[in-house]
Amino acid sequence: MKRKYISTIADTLRECGLKDGMTLSFHHHLRNGDHVVNMTMDAVAALGVKGITVACSSLFPVHEHLIGHIKSGVITGLDTDYMSGPLAKAITGGILPTPVMFRSHGGRPRAIGEGSLKIDIAVVAAPAVDAMGNITGTEGPSACGSLGYIIPDTQHAAKVIAVTDHVVEGGLSRISIPHDVVDHVVVVDKIGDPAGIVSGSISLTRDPVALAIARNAQSVIRASGLLQDGFCYQTGAGGASLAASLFLREDMRAMNIHGGFLLGGITKYMVEMLEEGLFDNVFDVQCFDLSSVKSIAQNPRHVEISADTYANPNRKSNCVDFLDAVLLGGTEIDLDFNVNVTTDSNGNIIGGSGGHNDAAAGAKLTIIVAPLVRARLPIVVEKCTTLTTVGSTVDVLVTERGIAVNPARKELADKLRDARLPVCGIEDLHDQAVRMTGKPRPYERGDKVVGTMEYRDGTIVDHIYATK
């Protein structure tokens, strides 16, 4: 009988044939509470293996620990969809010998499926595992809900390891990843801290600027004519986006509209709309808070989906292509409606696409919500510092001082003007911002390329350079 349960991560990696130069993949559903990436790379270092590429769907401040493994040569490559915190700062400074490959949440499973991202060992932070090796994210002391981003990895990796702190005797009733793709299971004291799932700005805002933006976004959706029965919707987790969603909820009640599905990273506000009966389903690739973790475990209409189903452009169908509207943020938007969510205006890495360019490409109506000025810098710029989402997929920029519509969407601009919304040219918003802040000096970039920006279809659209 094949030995599935092994006592330590190091022994399991050895059993899987770990060697120099391999690619190990991970996922980010425990977000800033994740322990598994760090403890696995510690085991790799203890085995004396070097030259590893870490392919993790997102990296957070908790992964500062990896900096030491980069300095020692254990890690020589990174492949991710999002990066923030001290590790991102070190990458911007040029610590890694090779550029980080930045993908989108839909581009990552596309790359895995077509073989351009080849995974030797996939490591699953598994909140619960049964005796056969079936995995779920919805049970156990470290439950994180959906495991959607690691599902494609487990289907294509040469070996799959489940690292868990909760073994269920007698079998799981709900399975995220089936036993027949799992080679080995390791039981550890703790795989992470679920409190770390709630990181970033996942809370309602009282900021009057953000609320004004939210009201304008609500009005744009209403005036577009898309808010009808069957309405399908995704939003980011920023304050203005969440407020706009609650305003939209008011509209749906008042207009007696019943929506189709809610999509993306899921928050308690989306769960509340599901439970109120405003939507048929929530399709969940990632839980953003503990309320959504509880919901996906209990509500059959709260459905776990894989990253393939969410946004892989190579699949015959995916959820983002059925979106009516999506609200997204941006650190910069330029005069061609291109959007940057990867770096700040000084070239420092502070994020990444995640599902940004996937949802923008799929939705009938893509709205960027942003203040005109942030930290005394204009958000509307002549040219984005880093290109994340191409302007041809963006329909509207909503600010507190006006609404700019992509010139390619003239019929939409006419509808918004008919609704007496404050439509203006994006050049007008840029001029307003510069009058408020003065024209910022362009940042001085270094010569070393530290990041490669891959669009969801595999096209390289930009590079990130080390800062001086």
Side-chain angles (χ1 to χ4, degrees):
M1 178 176 167
K2 185 177 179 181
R3 188 171 63 136
K4 182 160 275 192
Y5 276 72
I6 297 180
S7 58
T8 70
I9 293 176
D11 287 344
T12 312
L13 290 169
R14 194 182 290 114
E15 185 78 16
C16 289
L18 178 72
K19 61 183 181 182
D20 291 355
M22 280 188 163
T23 295
L24 272 58
S25 84
F26 302 88
H27 59 114
H28 70 283
H29 294 92
L30 283 162
R31 294 169 68 84
N32 205 38
D34 173 69
H35 294 177
V36 171
V37 175
N38 291 342
M39 70 171 70
T40 301
M41 294 315 300
D42 285 350
V44 172
L47 291 169
V49 174
K50 293 183 180 286
I52 296 297
T53 294
V54 170
C56 186
S57 49
S58 292
L59 293 159
F60 290 90
V62 70
H63 299 119
E64 177 181 8
H65 186 74
L66 300 183
I67 292 173
H69 292 312
I70 293 173
K71 289 179 177 177
S72 67
V74 174
I75 298 172
T76 54
L78 290 174
D79 191 307
T80 191
D81 309 341
Y82 176 97
M83 181 188 297
S84 65
L87 177 60
K89 183 177 180 180
I91 296 298
T92 304
I95 190 175
L96 197 67
T98 57
V100 175
M101 176 60 81
F102 282 93
R103 307 184 196 267
S104 73
H105 282 339
R108 186 175 189 274
R110 173 200 51 74
I112 293 171
E114 69 186 19
S116 54
L117 174 54
K118 181 176 176 297
I119 298 170
D120 295 297
I121 303 173
V123 183
V124 184
V129 181
D130 66 17
M132 293 182 66
N134 294 302
I135 299 171
T136 183
T138 60
E139 298 182 30
S142 303
C144 59
S146 175
L147 296 179
Y149 288 123
I150 194 68
I151 291 174
D153 303 46
T154 64
Q155 294 169 339
H156 294 277
K159 297 287 183 180
V160 175
I161 299 171
V163 181
T164 189
D165 54 11
H166 186 66
V167 177
V168 176
E169 302 294 340
L172 294 170
S173 58
R174 182 171 185 157
I175 295 171
S176 304
I177 297 168
H179 66 91
D180 55 357
V181 301
V182 178
D183 293 281
H184 297 292
V185 180
V186 183
V187 181
V188 298
D189 291 338
K190 198 164 182 58
I191 64 168
D193 178 6
I197 294 172
V198 185
S199 56
S201 56
I202 307 172
S203 60
L204 288 179
T205 181
R206 295 182 179 179
D207 175 19
V209 171
L211 291 174
I213 294 168
R215 282 294 184 194
N216 279 341
Q218 171 199 19
S219 299
V220 168
I221 294 174
R222 195 166 50 204
S224 72
L226 292 169
L227 189 56
Q228 302 177 6
D229 283 342
F231 179 69
C232 297
Y233 177 61
Q234 177 177 335
T235 182
S241 296
L242 290 178
S245 299
L246 294 190
F247 296 152
L248 201 62
R249 181 181 181 177
E250 296 171 358
D251 282 345
M252 293 181 73
R253 289 171 179 159
M255 299 164 70
N256 196 27
I257 288 173
H258 183 81
F261 64 78
L262 291 158
L263 182 65
I266 304 302
T267 66
K268 70 174 183 178
Y269 308 107
M270 300 168 87
V271 168
E272 288 172 359
M273 286 194 277
L274 174 69
E275 292 176 345
E276 189 179 337
L278 293 175
F279 286 87
D280 284 332
N281 295 101
V282 165
F283 292 151
D284 189 340
V285 71
Q286 177 187 9
C287 294
F288 271 171
D289 59 30
L290 298 182
S291 295
S292 54
V293 173
K294 181 179 179 182
S295 171
I296 198 172
Q298 298 178 347
N299 190 338
R301 292 188 295 124
H302 186 155
V303 181
E304 181 177 26
I305 60 170
S306 74
D308 274 317
T309 301
Y310 170 54
N312 183 345
N314 279 359
R315 295 295 290 262
K316 293 180 180 177
S317 60
N318 57 67
C319 289
V320 295
D321 285 348
F322 291 85
L323 285 170
D324 289 296
V326 60
L327 294 188
L328 301 167
T331 59
E332 294 176 320
I333 181 166
D334 70 20
L335 299 182
D336 292 320
F337 286 82
N338 298 308
V339 184
N340 173 19
V341 291
T342 306
T343 66
D344 64 17
S345 296
N346 294 315
N348 299 298
I349 298 169
I350 57 170
S353 174
H356 198 283
N357 64 43
D358 300 303
K364 294 185 180 75
L365 174 63
T366 298
I367 301 173
I368 305 298
V369 291
L372 199 61
V373 172
R374 185 185 288 132
R376 291 180 290 182
L377 288 172
I379 299 303
V380 184
V381 297
E382 292 181 1
K383 181 176 172 50
C384 283
T385 304
T386 305
L387 174 57
T388 310
T389 296
V390 296
S392 60
T393 63
V394 175
D395 300 302
V396 184
L397 167 63
V398 173
T399 76
E400 76 280 17
R401 291 175 180 261
I403 299 168
V405 181
N406 191 322
R409 296 297 310 274
K410 182 178 181 305
E411 83 293 348
L412 177 63
D414 291 341
K415 288 180 179 178
L416 302 192
R417 289 193 183 94
D418 291 344
R420 299 188 176 183
L421 297 181
V423 176
C424 61
I426 197 167
E427 296 83 0
D428 298 327
L429 293 176
H430 174 253
D431 291 346
Q432 284 189 58
V434 171
R435 283 197 296 272
M436 295 166 66
T437 64
K439 189 166 184 175
R441 291 187 303 176
Y443 90 99
E444 295 186 33
R445 74 185 193 191
D447 295 327
K448 182 177 180 179
V449 176
V450 298
T452 300
M453 298 297 300
E454 185 193 74
Y455 190 59
R456 65 193 302 256
D457 65 358
T459 305
I460 303 303
V461 295
D462 208 347
H463 299 282
I464 305 170
Y465 292 84
T467 54
K468 281 190 175 178

